[in-house]
Amino acid sequence: MQIKTHFCIVLFNTIVLASHAHEKVDVFKPDTHSHAEFGEAKSVRYLLYDVNPGEGFNLRRDVFMRVANLVKFLNDDEPWVLVLPPWGRLYHWKSQDLNQIKVKWSTFFDLASLREHIPVIEFEDYLTVMGEEVVEEIYYLQRYKEGWTNGKWEEKMDIRDCIDRVPYQKDEDGKWRGWFFGYENVYAKKFACLSVQSEAGNMKSFLMKNTTSRSVMLERAEQVIHGQYSEFSSMFWIARRSMVFAKHLRDIGDEFRREYLDSTDENDKTVLKSWTQMKKNHGEAKGGPYISVHLRRKDYLYAHKEQVPSLKYAAKQIKELLKKNKLKKVFIASDCDENDFETLKGFFKKAEIYRYKPTQEIREKYKDGGVAIIDQWIAAHARHFVGTYVSTFSFRIQEEREILGFDPETTFNRLCSESEEECEQPSKWKIVY
């Protein structure tokens, strides 16, 4: 399949959206100002998606990349815009005092960077463009009831009866009602269950040949896989590189680095450029003079108890890393409570141990997700990083360090538990340009 490097929607010169701030926002044009012709003008179509409610923030970021590349492939033939699903109701967002629904993507990510890859639009802006609170079609992605054919995985998809109870019901007016990111008046005109065994990119044929609706939603989008566009491919990394954190969150993390960790981009050789122009070689980044550690506790204490070290054993491993790297400062990104953090600090007599503690204003403005990103940004800039067993939070930090140009030996590491005779370290998913 030939992928066009640049694209934009034919109608971008004529269709403009008035934002809530009454500014003129061109929702169809990637910020590259590039252009690809489709011949005869075609109507813009919108792809929406959602993910299993139980999935966390960092897995959802991975699903975005799958759907984003699907939209990229769709735009080779006709104009599609990806509607960004508002954030909210996530398992790991535990702050009960915060209003954490209808959270926009611009709270966490730089939309201009996303638009360097594909056209994207916030959900509220999509509703404004549509002129009514409607999604025309929903396809609820599900497994095949009979499983794999002859025990083998094969590409296929079929409209089937729903296997499980679905979170949508038809009302007396024939409208499908359900959870639409906290927007209670939104409804769908059509709903069907779609059994799938498919790479995300191969959904293109279904969307182009089986529906002509202006807007289509893929519910349970985690059911489709990266496939050939996995971590080994440049397409995966193009989508991943486009997911630049919002500047206001990076600025908070950078201020913390300067004040407490003696870390600046100039000294650490981690200056950030436009992701389309930034191609770093391994080892170019030096990192700040500190060790960063992702120490996951809470659910991992029972879900992965064989791989989670005691605080004392975690401290022992951190001390060894400090000695090896001739450093004296440690940054801890953790879901542990304050008592556990103080206990961990108590094992160190000479090293300085830090964690980021947001103000109430920061919490209210950027939510639990924003605080997590600040943690990841600080952790990504350390001289040496060590994470937690099979944690997507650690995976995203490792990817960030690959983009910044760190030596993989300083990135793909994890803490070991006392009970592990052999402590297997993470696979090295290196960046591909």
Side-chain angles (χ1 to χ4, degrees):
M1 180 184 297
Q2 183 178 0
I3 307 298
K4 295 182 177 68
T5 304
H6 301 293
F7 61 90
C8 78
I9 304 307
V10 173
L11 303 182
F12 76 83
N13 283 321
T14 59
I15 303 181
V16 175
L17 171 68
S19 72
H20 298 296
H22 305 293
E23 298 175 352
K24 294 295 185 178
V25 179
D26 184 348
V27 300
F28 304 117
K29 183 172 63 174
D31 288 2
T32 54
H33 303 284
S34 53
H35 196 123
E37 298 291 348
F38 296 107
E40 182 180 352
K42 298 181 180 180
S43 297
V44 175
R45 303 177 69 186
Y46 298 89
L47 185 64
L48 301 88
Y49 75 97
D50 200 5
V51 179
N52 182 347
E55 302 295 353
F57 184 59
N58 291 290
L59 187 281
R60 288 168 183 266
R61 289 168 59 186
D62 185 81
V63 176
F64 164 82
M65 292 186 279
R66 306 175 207 179
V67 182
N69 281 336
L70 168 58
V71 171
K72 177 70 170 176
F73 302 145
L74 285 165
N75 272 278
D76 287 340
D77 295 286
E78 58 185 33
W80 285 77
V81 175
L82 179 59
V83 181
L84 300 169
W87 299 91
R89 282 190 173 182
L90 300 192
Y91 171 76
H92 295 291
W93 292 5
K94 300 295 188 181
S95 297
Q96 299 297 319
D97 60 323
L98 301 179
N99 179 17
Q100 302 198 88
I101 62 170
K102 300 183 181 179
V103 182
K104 293 185 177 182
W105 273 65
S106 58
T107 306
F108 305 137
F109 298 98
D110 180 60
L111 298 194
S113 294
L114 295 180
R115 291 182 181 128
E116 294 278 1
H117 181 40
I118 58 167
V120 299
I121 186 174
E122 298 274 19
F123 185 72
E124 286 189 5
D125 295 334
Y126 156 79
L127 295 178
T128 302
V129 171
M130 293 295 287
E132 60 177 320
E133 295 179 291
V134 65
V135 176
E136 294 189 351
E137 294 187 30
I138 297 177
Y139 291 97
Y140 187 94
L141 307 187
Q142 62 181 11
R143 68 190 187 283
Y144 276 85
K145 188 174 183 179
E146 66 273 21
W148 294 2
T149 303
N150 298 321
K152 296 182 180 179
W153 193 91
E154 60 180 350
E155 283 275 338
K156 57 181 180 178
M157 60 190 73
D158 300 282
I159 300 293
R160 292 279 188 93
D161 291 336
C162 299
I163 299 172
D164 302 315
R165 183 178 179 182
V166 297
Y168 298 92
Q169 295 82 37
K170 186 184 288 188
D171 67 14
E172 59 186 14
D173 297 321
K175 298 176 179 178
W176 288 89
R177 301 288 184 176
W179 173 257
F180 291 97
F181 317 110
Y183 293 80
E184 296 179 356
N185 295 325
V186 177
Y187 69 94
K189 294 181 179 179
K190 178 181 176 181
F191 175 90
C193 283
L194 180 66
S195 290
V196 294
Q197 285 179 188
S198 177
E199 298 180 7
N202 292 337
M203 291 293 298
K204 173 181 176 178
S205 178
F206 176 85
L207 292 171
M208 291 184 62
K209 296 179 180 179
N210 293 275
T211 173
T212 58
S213 292
R214 189 180 179 195
S215 64
V216 181
M217 181 172 178
L218 301 179
E219 173 67 85
R220 298 298 191 271
E222 76 280 358
Q223 290 287 341
V224 294
I225 63 174
H226 286 291
Q228 63 181 309
Y229 302 107
S230 67
E231 292 90 335
F232 297 108
S233 76
S234 60
M235 282 303 298
F236 171 93
W237 282 102
I238 288 172
R240 177 62 181 85
R241 288 159 58 207
S242 75
M243 298 186 74
V244 177
F245 294 141
K247 186 176 185 299
H248 48 259
L249 300 179
R250 290 185 276 122
D251 286 347
I252 294 170
D254 290 344
E255 181 180 359
F256 185 93
R257 290 165 53 208
R258 285 192 299 271
E259 184 172 352
Y260 297 104
L261 300 171
D262 303 317
S263 172
T264 66
D265 285 334
E266 291 74 18
N267 292 338
D268 303 350
K269 299 183 179 179
T270 54
V271 175
L272 194 66
K273 301 177 182 177
S274 168
W275 71 265
T276 60
Q277 302 172 10
M278 184 173 163
K279 295 184 179 181
K280 303 288 285 290
N281 295 317
H282 286 124
E284 283 189 36
K286 179 183 178 182
Y290 61 99
I291 301 291
S292 65
V293 180
H294 173 221
L295 179 62
R296 186 160 170 178
R297 305 286 288 172
K298 292 190 176 178
D299 60 330
Y300 263 45
L301 291 175
Y302 57 86
H304 295 287
K305 60 183 179 181
E306 298 301 323
Q307 289 81 29
V308 176
S310 66
L311 295 175
K312 183 177 182 179
Y313 195 62
K316 178 178 182 295
Q317 295 171 77
I318 295 169
K319 288 177 182 178
E320 292 171 353
L321 290 172
L322 287 169
K323 183 177 180 180
K324 179 180 178 180
N325 289 275
K326 298 179 181 180
L327 298 171
K328 296 182 179 180
K329 294 189 176 186
V330 181
F331 174 74
I332 304 292
S334 180
D335 59 354
C336 69
D337 60 27
E338 196 62 26
N339 287 335
D340 275 359
F341 181 66
E342 291 301 320
T343 298
L344 179 67
K345 284 179 64 177
F347 292 115
F348 296 87
K349 294 182 178 180
K350 296 181 180 180
E352 300 175 32
I353 313 299
Y354 297 92
R355 77 186 303 187
Y356 174 70
K357 297 180 181 180
T359 64
Q360 184 63 19
E361 180 184 5
I362 294 296
R363 293 178 65 247
E364 291 176 356
K365 194 171 185 179
Y366 302 127
K367 319 301 182 185
D368 286 346
V371 173
I373 285 174
I374 294 168
D375 264 352
Q376 289 179 317
W377 186 246
I378 298 168
H381 286 76
R383 190 74 49 82
H384 189 100
F385 170 70
V386 58
T388 290
Y389 175 76
V390 296
S391 167
T392 54
F393 190 99
S394 289
F395 293 163
R396 300 292 88 85
I397 294 172
Q398 290 163 356
E399 291 165 0
E400 210 67 47
R401 290 174 64 85
E402 279 292 287
I403 293 168
L404 290 169
F406 281 93
D407 184 334
E409 297 300 321
T410 70
T411 294
F412 296 96
N413 310 286
R414 75 168 176 95
L415 294 171
C416 305
S417 74
E418 297 95 318
S419 63
E420 292 180 283
E421 293 183 5
E422 294 184 12
C423 181
E424 183 179 358
Q425 293 300 298
S427 298
K428 293 181 172 63
W429 300 112
K430 297 179 183 179
I431 195 167
V432 179
Y433 291 112

